[in-house]
Structures are given as structure tokens and as C-alpha cells.
Amino acid sequence: MLADPTAQRTLLRLADLDSRLARITHTARTLPQHDTIRDLMEERRRTTDALTAATTNVDDLEVAARRAEQDLVPVRARLERDQSRLDGGTITDSKALQGLIDEIEHLKGRIGVLEDAQLEVMGQAEDAVAAREALSQRKADVEGRLRAAVAERDEQVEDLKQQAQSVAAERPGVVAQLPEPLVALYERLRASTGLGAAPLTEGRCGGCRLELNVTDLQQIAKAPADEVVRCPECDRILVRAGQP
Ligand SMILES: [Zn+2]
């Protein structure tokens, strides 16, 4: 294929624009915020699950605390009744009196046990509430960090999008200066290798970075300036440097 040396050098400008676009796309795809956001979403999911479990635990313990209080009500009532019967002095039968005194002792002991159980469950409920509050706080903290990371990512992506738009805006003007068959070849090579054209500098291909052997270099040197040469290693269009 033939293309004048100016067109070949213009092709390098096109390759440069495309490389810049590819770098911008790569940067946008590999922003560290993507990982941060993914990690924070995972943390939010875990914290939400833990918070749900902690809330259920608080509810269960509050039910248990109410039940412990209810368990005490009839025992206390009975003790009060027994105590007033005893204080009333109406029971004269010694056996009945002893029975009443024994029952009062038993009820006092029972109340002590129930009150201990109530204190235990109230303590657990208090701890559970504190754990729930801590998780709720952690969730709010994770969500705050997540919002910040998303805002940061959006800002970076928007910035890169503008950079890409400004590079892409230059492209049609450059393409218009090139013969169509050269652009077609370039695009085909770009699709298969990611880069369609590269400069040949100091015997080295700017695309694959390999040094060309002496025979290839001699052949390229002999080729007319308007002949489009290709890298023998990577097949890309080689643009010879050094010409005006
Ligand atoms: Zn090459």
C-alpha cells in the first residue's frame, strides 16, 4: 500500500489519540474507588445482617424481661395476702399458722429467685441494646463512607469522560486527513492488536518494542518513502521517523 510520508506521520497522531482514549478508558475501569465501593457494600450488607440479628435479640430479651416481671406478680400478691392474714392474727390453729409461716418463707425464697432471673435478663437486655446501638452507628458510618466513595468515583468518572470527549473530538479531523484504505488497514490492525501504527525509531518498533533485524531494516531503508511498511514481528504499520 502507498501513502505519502505526511499521511503516515498523521497516522501516528491518530494512534496517539487512540492510545490516550484507551488509557482513559483503562483508568476509568480501574479506579481504586471501584474496589472501595465494592468492599463498603459488602461491609454494609454484613452490618445490616448483624443489626437485624441484634434487633431481634433486643426484642426477645424485652419480651423475656416483661415475662420475668409478670412471673413475679402472682407470687408477690400471694405473699402480700399471706402476710396480711398472718398480721391479722385471726389464725389461731398452730398447725395452720405454721403452714402459713412456711408458705411465706417459701414465697420469699421464690421471689428472690425470680428477681435474680429478672435482673439477669434485664442486664442482658441492656447489653443487647448497647450492641444494637453500636451496630446502628457502624451502619451509619459505613453508609457515610459509601456515599463519599460513590461521589468521589462519579467525580473521577465525569472528569475522565470529559477528557475522553475532548480527545475523541480531535479524531475526525485527523482521520479526514488520511486516505481511506490506510485508515481501514489501521483500524483492522487496531482491532486485532489494540494499536494500529507505531513509529520505527532506532531500529525498534514502537508497538511491540522489538528490535528489527538487519535484513528487515535494510529492506525498509530501501523501500520508497510512500510505501506503507509493516513490523515483521507484530504486523503493525511502521512509520519511519526522521523525515520532514
Ligand atoms: Zn512491532
Side-chain angles (χ1 to χ4, degrees):
M1 182 188 292
L2 296 179
D4 68 65
T6 309
Q8 293 190 31
R9 281 195 303 279
T10 304
L11 194 62
L12 284 185
R13 276 183 58 206
L14 182 60
D16 177 56
L17 289 178
D18 286 337
S19 295
R20 278 156 65 194
L21 280 171
R23 271 200 302 278
I24 292 167
T25 306
H26 177 77
T27 304
R29 208 175 285 147
T30 56
L31 284 174
Q33 283 84 5
H34 295 316
D35 289 347
T36 308
I37 288 168
R38 199 197 50 223
D39 291 350
L40 284 170
M41 284 175 78
E42 172 58 21
E43 198 178 336
R44 180 178 63 178
R45 192 191 59 73
R46 280 200 311 267
T47 311
T48 303
D49 287 352
L51 181 58
T52 304
T55 304
T56 305
N57 194 30
V58 167
D59 293 347
D60 290 349
L61 285 165
E62 280 172 356
V63 167
R66 277 197 298 278
R67 193 178 301 133
E69 178 61 31
Q70 282 160 9
D71 288 348
L72 275 160
V73 172
V75 191
R76 280 178 178 148
R78 182 154 185 148
L79 175 64
E80 206 175 306
R81 200 185 57 213
D82 285 0
Q83 193 67 54
S84 27
R85 280 176 68 202
L86 183 67
D87 296 346
T90 49
I91 298 166
T92 47
D93 178 67
S94 68
K95 208 174 162 196
L97 196 61
Q98 191 54 51
L100 187 61
I101 289 168
D102 288 349
E103 186 170 281
I104 286 171
E105 277 316 298
H106 169 76
L107 289 171
K108 280 180 177 168
R110 178 81 188 124
I111 284 169
V113 169
L114 288 174
E115 280 178 347
D116 286 350
Q118 185 189 29
L119 278 177
E120 171 75 22
V121 80
M122 279 164 71
Q124 285 174 357
E126 237 171 70
D127 292 349
V129 167
R132 185 191 60 190
E133 292 314 306
L135 279 166
S136 172
Q137 183 58 49
R138 194 199 298 172
K139 190 182 172 200
D141 173 61
V142 169
E143 282 173 344
R145 276 152 60 209
L146 183 58
R147 272 195 300 276
V150 167
E152 211 177 307
R153 178 204 60 193
D154 290 351
E155 195 182 315
Q156 301 255 11
V157 166
E158 182 56 33
D159 182 46
L160 290 165
K161 211 166 96 185
Q162 282 178 12
Q163 285 181 37
Q165 276 167 359
S166 98
V167 174
E170 288 182 47
R171 207 178 183 277
V174 176
V175 171
Q177 296 170 39
L178 297 167
E180 267 176 39
L182 185 62
V183 173
L185 174 63
Y186 167 85
E187 292 294 9
R188 204 177 70 233
L189 290 167
R190 185 163 79 97
S192 60
T193 69
L195 177 74
L200 174 66
T201 34
E202 292 167 355
R204 190 183 291 271
C205 165
C208 63
R209 305 266 164 208
L210 291 173
E211 270 186 52
L212 274 62
N213 65 42
V214 179
T215 317
D216 289 333
L217 283 172
Q218 278 170 350
Q219 270 185 6
I220 289 170
K222 272 189 279 175
D226 60 354
E227 187 180 322
V228 175
V229 297
R230 312 270 288 272
C231 172
E233 296 297 337
C234 69
D235 207 30
R236 293 182 175 102
I237 298 166
L238 273 180
V239 180
R240 285 158 282 177
Q243 282 124 345

